[in-house]
Amino acid sequence: MNDQLVQRIRNCPNLPSLPSIAVQVLELAQRADIDIAEIARIISKDPALSSKILRTVNSSFYGRSQHVGTISHALVILGLQSVKTLVLGFSLVTSLTKNKSKGFKHIHYWRRCIYSATAARQLAAKICVVQQEEAFLAALLMDIGMLVLDQVECEKYGELYQKAKSHSDLYVSEAETLGMTHAEVGGMLAQQWKLPPVLSAPIANHHEPEKVSDMALRSLTELVSIGGRCADVFVDENAAPSIAAVRNYLSQRHNMTEAETDALLTQIGERTKEVASLFEINIGSSAEFEAILKRANEALVEITLESQAHATRLAQQNEVLKEQATKDGLTGLANRAMFDQYFTQQFALAVKNKKHFSLLMIDLDKFKSINDKHGHPVGDQVLKTSSKLLQSAARPQDLAARYGGEEMVLVLPDTPRNVAAAIAETIRRAMAAKPMQAGKVTIPVTASIGVATYEPGGPLTTQAHLMKAADLAVYSAKHGGRNCVKVFSLKPTTKSAA
């Protein structure tokens, strides 16, 4: 945050202030012993404000069939929250619209505010959020920091505003150029006015709702934020990105179809005209959503295609990342981490279901001498060729992995000892039968293979036992002449023989 700008904002003589009547209503509404009659009396002292409230209460905006003739009646019929929202909204809008500068377009600002507020309330009603009035007022005030920055930075902020292609771009430009955003400034003002968290949190965080830790407040902040995107549909020259964003959000978060979202946007467009007249805000000639959608359709098709292409690229990238995380880069076999995970999982299942479970440990014979004599590139090729052969021998349920160096393993779920030994012998013969050709040199490739099997009721009761048994079997194969298969078994007189 820009400390110097913060100080200039605090010292600004034209900083927006909360109208006195709004202060009084807020204070009374926050008391434990709320005096409805006193609140009605204070509001009634302002004839212009009372008239606006009653006109709004009796409009189709609230849809009440019963005529309301007094503020006291309005408080009884609508409740304190609705009337408090109207008091704050009307008094602030009346106060703030008087201050104008040579900065950004104030008409455009208020158009977006009134569309945002109407959209937030309509959306809250659609998804059955209780805090509809708070959503309306928070959305109406969420960009108030722009008015402050316009007062403090004057022409500099006006230029920044003019260059921004969208409201989101403006937010980014503010952070980069001023070191502070209108959302942060709005949050400062909300604190100064002592607005409750249900209003101050959305005002301060409507561009980044994820920063709100309280989940109930975060949901309201997200609703206010998407209300702003709905407003952009009607105020931006290019509506397509905002239409796509609103459709996507409501589909993912609230399972709303494209048709339901479009119907909601149509309703927002219609209701905003009425709300704007109640607040005496000039929104100019407002196009129907159907006409906006018609103009935006071509761009929406392009956005959809780009979104699909991006999703495909993302899926491909995720697949590559997944492969990199689970496969050995040289051999293409599963890596050590994948082996450890699969081995642990399958061993636990074998114990639980009382099934046989075998492990083959394969060690390429005299691999160091191949590297020393022919070079590491040839050694790498030997590893690749042997790995392909091992992979081809693996069944769908098996896992072939590189254990480390020239050691490979084959996990064989639901496989008894004799079948595992036969698979090991098949692999050994296949390797020995295919010497590798390195230029004009033929390099014989053989392997020593150890086999160990978990058997229900047998002596190998843990993963560590099974690994140690396979390792001992490999050791026995290498010291028994190499190029052979050894199966671990316990002799009646000892527990460590292989």
Side-chain angles (χ1 to χ4, degrees):
M1 192 176 286
N2 187 334
D3 292 334
Q4 290 183 343
L5 181 56
V6 169
Q7 196 58 43
R8 287 173 60 199
I9 290 171
R10 286 175 176 162
N11 294 334
C12 178
N14 298 323
L15 199 67
S17 60
L18 201 60
S20 59
I21 190 167
V23 173
Q24 293 177 68
V25 170
L26 270 177
E27 288 177 351
L28 287 170
Q30 290 171 0
R31 289 181 183 176
D33 53 336
I34 298 173
D35 189 339
I36 297 295
E38 177 66 12
I39 293 174
R41 188 183 64 79
I42 289 173
I43 297 172
S44 299
K45 286 168 67 176
D46 187 327
L49 178 60
S50 298
S51 176
K52 287 181 181 179
I53 290 174
L54 292 175
R55 185 156 56 96
T56 304
V57 169
N58 289 308
S59 71
S60 60
F61 183 64
Y62 280 98
R64 297 285 175 177
S65 57
Q66 184 179 3
H67 180 78
V68 177
T70 64
I71 295 298
S72 297
H73 194 192
L75 283 164
V76 172
I77 297 297
L78 291 183
L80 175 61
Q81 190 57 52
S82 295
V83 175
K84 185 178 75 174
T85 295
L86 293 174
V87 169
L88 286 170
F90 280 128
S91 59
L92 276 169
V93 169
T94 301
S95 172
L96 295 172
T97 49
K98 293 177 182 177
N99 298 323
K100 294 185 179 180
S101 69
K102 295 180 181 179
F104 67 97
K105 298 177 181 177
H106 283 256
I107 291 177
H108 186 275
Y109 169 84
W110 285 109
R111 281 187 72 208
R112 189 177 191 275
C113 286
I114 207 70
Y115 269 111
S116 298
T118 308
R121 192 178 192 279
Q122 294 301 119
L123 180 57
K126 177 71 176 179
I127 61 177
C128 301
V129 172
V130 175
Q131 296 161 316
Q132 295 175 25
E133 303 303 330
E134 290 88 342
F136 179 90
L137 187 55
L140 184 69
L141 301 178
M142 66 178 170
D143 291 328
I144 196 169
M146 293 170 64
L147 294 180
V148 176
L149 289 173
D150 180 50
Q151 287 290 328
V152 176
E153 293 292 344
C154 301
E155 292 184 11
K156 182 179 179 181
Y157 189 69
E159 291 173 5
L160 200 68
Y161 180 84
Q162 293 292 340
K163 290 178 182 178
K165 294 180 180 178
S166 67
H167 191 75
S168 298
D169 285 343
L170 177 63
Y171 179 77
V172 174
S173 297
E174 289 169 348
E176 292 175 350
T177 307
L178 305 176
M180 196 171 185
T181 68
H182 68 268
E184 291 172 318
V185 176
M188 283 177 54
L189 204 58
Q191 284 186 344
Q192 184 174 314
W193 289 348
K194 297 180 181 180
L195 295 182
V198 75
L199 296 177
S200 61
I203 290 172
N205 300 282
H206 62 276
H207 279 279
E208 298 177 279
E210 65 277 4
K211 287 186 175 181
V212 182
S213 56
D214 183 282
M215 295 309 295
L217 286 178
R218 182 186 296 182
S219 296
L220 184 63
T221 304
E222 286 179 354
L223 191 151
V224 169
S225 177
I226 203 66
R229 291 312 302 266
C230 290
D232 291 334
V233 171
F234 296 92
V235 301
D236 281 358
E237 193 172 324
N238 179 15
S242 296
I243 294 173
V246 172
R247 283 176 173 176
N248 183 58
Y249 175 85
L250 294 180
S251 171
Q252 291 187 355
R253 296 300 299 270
H254 301 290
N255 297 316
M256 286 176 62
T257 65
E258 186 176 295
E260 288 174 324
T261 299
D262 289 355
L264 177 64
L265 287 169
T266 299
Q267 189 180 47
I268 289 168
E270 293 169 351
R271 280 298 180 92
T272 302
K273 293 175 184 177
E274 180 182 7
V275 177
S277 67
L278 293 169
F279 278 80
E280 297 177 355
I281 291 175
N282 179 16
I283 62 172
S285 57
S286 178
E288 302 290 339
F289 175 68
E290 188 176 345
I292 294 172
L293 182 60
K294 189 175 181 180
R295 290 198 302 269
N297 266 334
E298 186 175 338
L300 281 169
V301 171
E302 291 180 8
I303 290 173
T304 301
L305 292 174
E306 176 55 33
S307 178
Q308 290 172 345
H310 177 70
T312 301
R313 289 194 299 270
L314 194 61
Q316 291 170 343
Q317 290 170 2
N318 287 338
E319 196 61 36
V320 170
L321 290 172
K322 182 180 177 182
E323 188 168 313
Q324 290 174 345
T326 60
K327 288 192 176 182
D328 176 65
L330 176 65
T331 64
L333 297 176
N335 60 19
R336 178 64 182 272
M338 184 62 185
F339 162 74
D340 289 342
Q341 179 184 338
Y342 192 75
F343 181 63
T344 299
Q345 178 191 63
Q346 293 300 318
F347 186 86
L349 285 173
V351 173
K352 179 182 178 181
N353 299 322
K354 298 182 179 180
K355 299 280 188 179
H356 290 86
F357 177 69
S358 294
L359 177 67
L360 271 56
M361 190 166 281
I362 302 106
D363 196 323
L364 298 181
D365 295 329
K366 298 183 179 181
F367 183 75
K368 185 177 183 301
S369 66
I370 293 175
N371 269 337
D372 293 343
K373 187 175 181 180
H374 303 285
H376 286 281
V378 173
D380 287 349
Q381 193 56 47
V382 168
L383 278 171
K384 290 178 184 178
T385 303
S386 302
S387 297
K388 286 181 181 178
L389 194 151
L390 179 62
Q391 188 68 67
S392 66
R395 303 165 301 180
Q397 72 269 31
D398 301 337
L399 180 75
R402 186 180 182 186
Y403 191 71
E406 69 272 22
E407 283 187 312
M408 295 172 281
V409 288
L410 186 63
V411 181
L412 303 169
D414 197 13
T415 305
R417 185 187 304 183
N418 61 327
V419 175
I423 292 172
E425 183 61 24
T426 299
I427 294 169
R428 184 199 68 77
R429 287 181 181 178
M431 284 189 180
K434 291 185 178 180
M436 203 192 89
Q437 202 71 28
K440 295 180 180 180
V441 181
T442 300
I443 304 172
V445 180
T446 62
S448 298
I449 304 177
V451 180
T453 302
Y454 163 78
E455 297 167 315
L460 305 179
T461 58
T462 67
Q463 290 176 233
H465 288 163
L466 190 60
M467 285 294 303
K468 182 63 176 176
D471 190 54
L472 288 172
V474 168
Y475 182 83
S476 178
K478 292 185 80 68
H479 287 78
R482 297 188 178 87
N483 190 24
C484 62
V485 175
K486 292 292 183 179
V487 180
F488 179 87
S489 63
L490 288 175
K491 295 180 180 179
T493 56
T494 179
K495 294 185 179 181
S496 59

